[in-house]
Amino acid sequence: MYSKILLLLIAISLVSCHASKPTIVTSKSQTSQKQRSVVQTTKKPTYSKSESNIPASTKNQNQTTTEVIESTSRTVVSNDVIDHYIAAYKDVAMGNMKTYGIPASIILAQGILESGAGKGDLALTANNHFGIKCHNDWLGESVRHDDDASQECFRKYNDASESFRDHALFLTGKKRYASLFQYEKDDYKAWAKGLRAAGYATDPRYPDKLMSYIERYQLHQYDAQVLGKKYDVSQSQAVLAAYKSTPNNPNFSYYEVQKGDTLYSISKKFNILIDDIKKNNNLSDNTLSIGQKLIVK
């Protein structure tokens, strides 16, 4: 009896030992994550309607100033844009002066004025930097643009250099401009007045605008460079002296225009409306000259 019980216990013990299995430790593999392409976008700043034509770089008047150029389209540019325009095309202008006898200063001044320093509609859409219309002898491409009349025909070029060359050919090939080439090549004042007299522009202040750009940005130095003459700063100094010699009225406050100044920057500096500055100083447009005295209060 006891032997049977003992055998049964031994049997149960053996079965339980074989039934236990070793523990297997498993780790769940990490799921590979799909890579995502992240595209960073910069939201363009929004401006009020009155500011919509002013480049963002010109908002901070401590860094740069703006200027309104009345070309074939109303264009707002900074003085830096005009400086860059001059740097980009001064060599082309001097080359045309050597080849065709047109003062480089006049070429650059006309380019700045007519193209809005390269930012005007015609310059951007047609590479037309001088506002030259089609006329009957033009066989190239053209664009339509509102000017003196609605949807007038203007010449279109493949690049800006073609526009500069065509400008030279336009002046040398038209009889009405023949009198210009009787002037000295460094007499930019005579050329500016002669262009208006010959009918290049209808604006009565066209010569003053050209001369203003030439004097403010010292474009006549490129005429001297082509002619092998020493650049005479006394020309600019004479203009400044003329402005400074104007007697002050003790009842007004005056401001002397500095390089890069515009009516906009001056209006902000003295908290006065642009229209009031123009009215008080009998200005018909936004053209200023370095050294010019303006009534500001």
Side-chain angles (χ1 to χ4, degrees):
M1 182 66 178
Y2 289 105
S3 61
K4 289 181 179 180
I5 294 173
L6 180 61
L7 288 173
L8 180 61
L9 291 174
I10 293 172
I12 293 172
S13 176
L14 290 173
V15 171
S16 63
C17 287
H18 285 288
S20 62
K21 295 181 180 179
T23 304
I24 299 175
V25 179
T26 61
S27 60
K28 185 177 181 181
S29 61
Q30 296 180 347
T31 304
S32 60
Q33 297 181 345
K34 293 182 179 180
Q35 295 182 347
R36 294 183 299 170
S37 298
V38 180
V39 179
Q40 295 182 342
T41 59
T42 303
K43 185 178 181 181
K44 293 183 179 180
T46 57
Y47 305 116
S48 64
K49 186 175 181 181
S50 61
E51 297 176 309
S52 60
N53 290 328
I54 301 178
S57 61
T58 65
K59 302 292 182 182
N60 187 345
Q61 291 301 315
N62 292 328
Q63 296 179 349
T64 187
T65 56
T66 60
E67 177 166 349
V68 178
I69 299 179
E70 296 285 355
S71 57
T72 50
S73 58
R74 181 181 174 89
T75 310
V76 182
V77 299
S78 68
N79 58 311
D80 287 342
V81 169
I82 297 177
D83 285 334
H84 291 159
Y85 185 88
I86 295 168
Y89 297 111
K90 61 182 178 66
D91 290 335
V92 176
M94 287 191 289
N96 281 4
M97 180 176 178
K98 294 176 182 177
T99 304
Y100 301 102
I102 305 165
S105 60
I106 288 292
I107 296 171
L108 289 170
Q110 281 195 283
I112 292 170
L113 180 57
E114 297 287 350
S115 76
K119 301 299 182 181
D121 291 344
L122 278 178
L124 294 176
T125 61
N127 286 310
N128 190 329
H129 283 237
F130 296 91
I132 300 179
K133 298 178 182 179
C134 293
H135 301 289
N136 295 330
D137 57 347
W138 178 247
L139 301 177
E141 292 186 78
S142 63
V143 295
R144 294 287 173 174
H145 183 79
D146 292 344
D147 192 40
D148 295 329
S150 175
Q151 293 297 288
E152 291 190 85
C153 183
F154 285 86
R155 301 183 182 189
K156 181 179 180 181
Y157 309 95
N158 292 324
D159 54 58
S161 62
E162 287 186 13
S163 178
F164 275 77
R165 180 175 181 273
D166 192 47
H167 169 260
L169 295 175
F170 185 78
L171 293 184
T172 56
K174 300 288 184 181
K175 291 183 178 180
R176 60 176 173 166
Y177 299 116
S179 60
L180 295 174
F181 296 88
Q182 298 175 7
Y183 303 131
E184 296 293 332
K185 290 185 177 62
D186 56 355
D187 189 353
Y188 66 87
K189 293 182 179 180
W191 276 81
K193 295 175 182 177
L195 280 167
R196 166 73 176 84
Y200 194 97
T202 57
D203 183 0
R205 285 185 54 79
Y206 193 78
D208 294 331
K209 292 177 180 180
L210 294 182
M211 289 187 286
S212 174
Y213 283 118
I214 291 171
E215 290 159 4
R216 287 161 57 195
Y217 292 92
Q218 301 182 23
L219 303 181
H220 38 311
Q221 64 179 296
Y222 304 116
D223 300 338
Q225 189 171 329
V226 171
L227 296 174
K229 295 183 179 180
K230 184 177 180 181
Y231 175 55
D232 187 4
V233 297
S234 64
Q235 295 181 35
S236 296
Q237 291 174 342
V239 174
L240 298 183
Y243 284 121
K244 293 179 180 179
S245 63
T246 303
N248 288 345
N249 187 323
N251 296 322
F252 299 112
S253 295
Y254 292 84
Y255 173 73
E256 185 176 308
V257 176
Q258 307 297 315
K259 183 178 180 180
D261 276 340
T262 65
L263 287 180
Y264 179 80
S265 65
I266 295 172
S267 71
K268 291 298 182 183
K269 182 179 295 185
F270 294 98
N271 194 26
I272 183 174
L273 296 175
I274 293 177
D275 288 342
D276 288 341
I277 296 177
K278 295 173 71 172
K279 180 180 178 181
N280 294 338
N281 294 276
N282 296 318
L283 301 178
S284 59
D285 56 29
N286 296 336
T287 304
L288 299 176
S289 297
I290 297 174
Q292 182 177 359
K293 287 184 179 180
L294 295 177
I295 299 172
V296 292
K297 287 184 181 179

